Amino acid sequence: MRLTGAQILIRTLIEQGVDTVFGYPGGTVINIFDALGESEIKLIMPSHEQGGAHAADGYARVSGKPGVVIATSGPGATNLVTGIANAYMDSVPLVAITGNVVRRLMGRDSFQEVDICGVTMPVTKHNFLVQNISELAATVKEAFTIAVSGRPGPVLVDIPKDITAELFDYVPAGRYKVRETPMSAQSKLYLAADMISKSKRPLIYGGGGIVSGNACEQLTAFAERGNIPVAASLMGLTALPSAHPLMLGMIGMHGTPVSNFAGKNCDLLISVAARFSDRVAGDRKRFAPNARLIHIDIDPAEFDKNVVCDLHIRGGASEALDELTKLIPENKDTGWINEIELFRRENPMPEAVGGEKVNPRELLRLLRALTDDDAILVTDVGQHQMWAAQYFPFTQPRTFITSGGLGAMGFGMGAAIGAKAANPDKQVILLTGDGSFHMNLTELATSVTSNLPITVIILNNGVLGMVRQWQHLFFGSRYVSTTTGRKTDFVKLAEAFGAAGFAANTAQEAAEALKIALSSNRTSVIDCSADPDEMVFPMIPSGKSGDDIIYGAEVD
């Protein structure tokens, strides 16, 4: 069967199990969109290519399948870069397809020509420039294989326009298969099991790879058998339900007091699918100072990159934890757990303090009470993100979608669209700040037009809260460029986009707006007035350790 390159591309995407793509048309991808329009694939058009990349990212995190985004050459392709980098930093499987100028014009600074393979080389697992139509189907299949194999991540496929128009004999490429990652020798697992059985104060440091590797059940079984508490990275928060007695919450800069206490006092730290980022191990030399360290990861490049460990086990989290659970003895000693629980009771997280405006901690408890257990909470980046990590009780995996490694303000709206597209039956709530929301608020149009009802909660304090907090604590309260002075009326803005808009100046008004918004089956925006002096605590200053934790600060 002779088909155009564009038709071959779409057929191959369908073979890979793609049911939804996020794409913005343009000159070099016009043939692709023509073929896409005749297919059964659902096309969601963002307002901006960056929003499309974040949507593909959110789709992948919720569905567990690779997200797909399509953009034209030049600015269309470069607008994807932040979204691609975000997926790279958070190990999210994503396939970005870009058009390029025809082959005879490449390298001539042609209209809307950019070497997008060169641009994205540092933030992709791999990228391809298709130079022959005979290689197109195999290249697309390989892109999916690379995206999902080993440590997941983004792959880019750049296709010149003339290849999308050329005719070729179509031969199905077949469905991609995940390449197996070789497991470390059994002797290493025996050694790890021996270290665990001899430990009196073990701690699991769980990362996002547990969630993306579908290893949450294995983590639960391993932790319960060994009676080992779990401290999670930001990305690993939904690996174990927040209410589980062994779950200590987030560890690191804005982690819970008890998780950082456990990290400081453990005698064995078992890192599972985590990378010892600077937000967790600020002072690498003083992180878990009394512990021997075991590092389990699918990517050997992470071994000793940030923190030198005593034992490395390469392998997927699911397989590694499953094997270790078989090897370790059941632990019924409660001494370490009792010590942790005593510290937790004596050192709780800061409580909400009533005031004239909406308190973020109170809002999150209210949100949990009004939403389903499987509701998906998406955040942007900043104080609201940390409050969500600290105070929202998660019950199921893949229900917390946030930009962890890159910390991309503007991530949330696109990611919420992708999350809703991946699972339309689940409630999707975006918690954002006025600073983050301003960056990609045009994606409200996408949510409304695509009939993807999302509840957007803006914690509107009129400042760039996290940077302002640092300025208060470390720069003598010199608030340079963090009091934005925006005059945006978010209620009118929402209505202009075709969404419902609500203003909430008190907790009671926020509760009433949430009840209406969550039951309305419409995209809704709730503008919550928040105090600019509200800060995120506890906090370990950058480059410091748990010994330097700050529990609060006075505001002049």
Side-chain angles (χ1 to χ4, degrees), residues 20 23 48 76 97 145 193 208 304 374 437 442 455 463 494 517 551 556:
T20 304
H48 187 284
I97 298 168
T145 302
D304 296 337
D374 63 354
F437 191 62
T442 51
T455 300
V463 298
Y551 287 99
D556 297 334

Side-chain angles (χ1 to χ4, degrees), residues 278-312:
D278 61 296
R279 283 303 193 258
V280 171
D283 183 342
R284 296 191 297 273
K285 294 181 180 178
R286 290 196 290 161
F287 181 69
N290 305 307
R292 300 184 73 190
L293 275 65
I294 298 171
H295 194 174
I296 301 168
D297 207 286
I298 203 166
D299 182 4
E302 290 298 330
F303 295 149
D304 296 337
K305 184 179 84 175
N306 290 322
V307 173
V308 176
C309 295
D310 298 280
L311 177 64
H312 309 113

Side-chain angles (χ1 to χ4, degrees), residues 14 139 235 477 542:
I14 293 170
T139 298
M235 299 297 298
S477 297
S542 180

Side-chain angles (χ1 to χ4, degrees), residues 203-207 229-233 246-251 259-260 262:
L203 175 67
I204 297 167
Y205 160 40
V230 178
S233 70
L246 292 173
M247 183 56 159
L248 307 184
M250 185 169 65
I251 190 171
S259 65
N260 284 309

